[in-house]
Amino acid sequence: MANSSDILFYGLLFFIWFATTTFFRYVLKQRKNGSKQIRHPPSPPSLPIIGHLHLLGSVASKSYQTLANQYGPLIRLRVVSSSVVVVSNAAIAKEFLKNNEMNFVSRPQFGAADFNIYAGSEFVNAEYGPYWRFMKKLCMTELLSVTQVNRFVDIRRQEMMKLLKILVGFSEERKACDLGVELMTTTNNVISRMAMSTRCTPGLDEGRRLWEFVKEIFELSPKFALGELFGPIGKLDLFGYGKRVKALLSKFDSLVEKIMVEHENELNSSNKERKDMMDILLEIHGDKKAEVKLSRTDIKSFLMELFMAGTETVSVALTWTLAELINHPKVFRQLRDEINTVVGSKRLVQEFDVPKLLYLQAVVKESLRLHAPAPLMFRRCGEDCKINGYDILANERIAFNVFAIMRDPSSWDNPLEFQPERFMVGSKVAYDDYQMDLKGQNFNVFPFGSGRRGCPGASLSLAVVHSAVALLVQCFDFTVHGGEKIKMEEGSGLSAGLAHPLMCYVTPHLNPLELLHLS
Ligand code: HEM
């Protein structure tokens, strides 16, 4: 067995080998690029081997924003053997995503495929091609279409009512509540029930276990992707994240396989009134004439990606919106007045009220502007091209810093202020620009991305966020311990949630339980 000095010796040897090869590869690449006279976007001064690693903090979008302020809205960063071009203003984002859309329609791969049991079945990071096109069309016309989202309105209602009851419980016990956790549970339940008719309640084990696997995979993913920085050495999985991701994926897979078999038995035995996403996917799996043959692995991979893309983002959007409302009592009161005028105090607000609640829509847009739940959006360059006079090379990764763009002082007055009024009719800025439907046509505010690759979950997200915010404001007052303000600090996760738990006390304004039977 090797003793500790052996391990130290081999470790050192390994480090020297790694450092020298990376350094020489870097020098060779520089020379090769130099001979072709490539004009990369500007870069901050870098250190040998680690490149710009020392300039990056724990919240990538914020570090990129700081660097953009110093070196410009189009920069190129390198960390060890991996590079990324970072875009930090709306005009340049439009140049990539609209004027050259087809060249930036694929996404880069992160992490070694060896540890991903779903490698080859991915949708979110799939190459632009027949499989992605088929799945995207399926999302837009069936799985996440407005019609399908509307079909599940009662499920959202039931989950919202459960949330209200839980909050009444907290208020009766006069206990502080972690609002972020409750909002996360509600979001997970809505998505799990739409996806495969499971819930994440402690009593119902399946839903909760699914949620825990997805949460752990979500938390591990950025660490796993770090292997990337070490080039081919990343495959060795020195920190063991790859093996952990693989083990979690296998557990997720077994659980979803079990739910899938239950769905198949149900589909064979009866005519289900309402099909969830798994039912729809299984029908396509069994359809011999389907345009694309969907395997069981494709279905499981797709459902996992939906959970990853959908649950954290929606609950993060909800948590930030509530935090802003608690910190801005005037906005909170104005929103409650609007709900009172449109809905009254004799029934609970419903989803069909939302089109008339313009201030509510403005509050949610402003919150998405200030707190992008997906702060960095990644694409991959298809072929060498020039953007803004700089060469962007094939396969180069592009990070759109949505966080920085939506706070850019050259596009927004008082960009760091929470001012929903900017999205109301008669605001100083052009109505058309601000009232657009967050569809990615206005590159000053595109929290759901843009174009073919834009988020297919936007309608579902807005349905959940609007109704939850409206119900909470209609029914409760929220206070923070000692009357303090909530610290609006971003955490370091993929979806940039609040760094600290949103702990608050709730007091009923209207008693939701009394209004429930009237609604
Ligand atoms: C507030 C909530 C959400 C935000 C802010 C958000 C944001 C985004 C963004 C920025 C992208 C990348 C778009 C691009 O590259 O142009 C994206 C992609 C995606 N989102 Fe969402 N998302 C949210 C909720 C959801 C939900 C609820 C689902 C599904 C249940 C979902 C599913 C997806 C999928 C599947 C993709 C990949 C689409 C593709 O590559 O074609 N998202 N989302």
Side-chain angles (χ1 to χ4, degrees), residues 490-508:
E490 288 84 13
S492 55
L494 276 179
S495 55
L498 269 168
H500 310 285
L502 178 50
M503 298 302 297
C504 56
Y505 293 93
V506 282
T507 325

Side-chain angles (χ1 to χ4, degrees), residues 351-508:
E351 279 190 23
F352 61 70
D353 296 310
V354 172
K356 283 178 256 151
L357 297 169
L358 301 184
Y359 195 63
L360 169 70
Q361 294 175 39
V363 163
V364 170
K365 275 181 198 165
E366 177 65 342
S367 171
L368 288 170
R369 178 191 73 80
L370 213 41
H371 308 289
L376 291 174
M377 206 180 89
F378 287 91
R379 299 288 184 90
R380 185 177 64 75
C381 177
E383 290 172 7
D384 293 1
C385 69
K386 266 205 185 329
I387 302 269
N388 249 34
Y390 293 107
D391 289 302
I392 309 293
L393 305 183
N395 291 323
E396 190 108 62
R397 283 167 195 192
I398 321 295
F400 295 88
N401 194 350
V402 183
F403 170 87
I405 294 174
M406 298 201 299
R407 292 170 168 225
D408 184 351
S410 62
S411 311
W412 303 94
D413 290 339
N414 304 317
L416 303 185
E417 299 291 317
F418 180 70
Q419 294 175 342
E421 287 68 26
R422 63 174 102 232
F423 288 110
M424 295 295 282
V425 185
S427 71
K428 212 167 65 176
V429 191
Y431 174 71
D432 284 348
D433 275 359
Y434 274 175
Q435 290 293 314
M436 46 75 244
D437 284 321
L438 300 172
K439 295 247 169 72
Q441 292 306 308
N442 177 342
F443 289 88
N444 288 316
V445 52
F446 62 132
F448 293 103
S450 173
R452 287 172 175 75
R453 212 77 210 215
C455 176
S459 305
L460 171 61
S461 309
L462 292 173
V464 176
V465 177
H466 284 136
S467 59
V469 171
L471 279 164
L472 294 181
V473 169
Q474 186 188 28
C475 297
F476 298 103
D477 287 311
F478 300 87
T479 44
V480 181
H481 186 67
E484 286 166 24
K485 288 217 165 198
I486 290 158
K487 231 170 144 196
M488 304 300 266
E489 205 183 302
E490 288 84 13
S492 55
L494 276 179
S495 55
L498 269 168
H500 310 285
L502 178 50
M503 298 302 297
C504 56
Y505 293 93
V506 282
T507 325

Side-chain angles (χ1 to χ4, degrees), residues 97 105 107 123-126 132 136 139 144 187 191 277 302 305-307 309-318 368 371-379 400 402 446-458 460-462 465:
L97 295 170
V105 79
R107 286 192 212 283
F123 167 63
V124 175
N125 289 336
W132 174 84
K136 188 65 179 247
C139 283
L144 289 161
T187 310
I191 295 182
M277 292 188 198
F302 177 77
E305 289 187 288
L306 275 200
F307 278 115
T311 49
E312 182 97 359
T313 41
V314 174
S315 66
V316 158
L318 268 170
L368 288 170
H371 308 289
L376 291 174
M377 206 180 89
F378 287 91
R379 299 288 184 90
F400 295 88
V402 183
F446 62 132
F448 293 103
S450 173
R452 287 172 175 75
R453 212 77 210 215
C455 176
L460 171 61
S461 309
L462 292 173
V465 177

Side-chain angles (χ1 to χ4, degrees), residues 7 10 46 96 109 113 139 179 186-188 212 214 233 243 260 272 276 281 298 334 339 349 404 406 479 489:
I7 294 173
Y10 286 117
S46 63
F96 277 91
Q109 296 293 322
C139 283
L179 202 52
T186 306
T187 310
N188 273 302
E212 280 165 5
V214 172
I233 292 167
K243 280 180 212 73
M260 222 157 144
K272 241 185 169 179
D276 58 28
L281 292 164
D298 293 337
Q334 191 169 335
I339 297 170
V349 60
M406 298 201 299
T479 44
E489 205 183 302

Side-chain angles (χ1 to χ4, degrees), residues 322-341:
L322 262 297
E324 285 291 5
L325 286 169
I326 296 170
N327 276 359
H328 293 86
K330 211 172 137 221
V331 177
F332 189 102
R333 276 196 301 276
Q334 191 169 335
L335 178 53
R336 183 176 275 167
D337 287 348
E338 178 182 69
I339 297 170
N340 206 20
T341 309

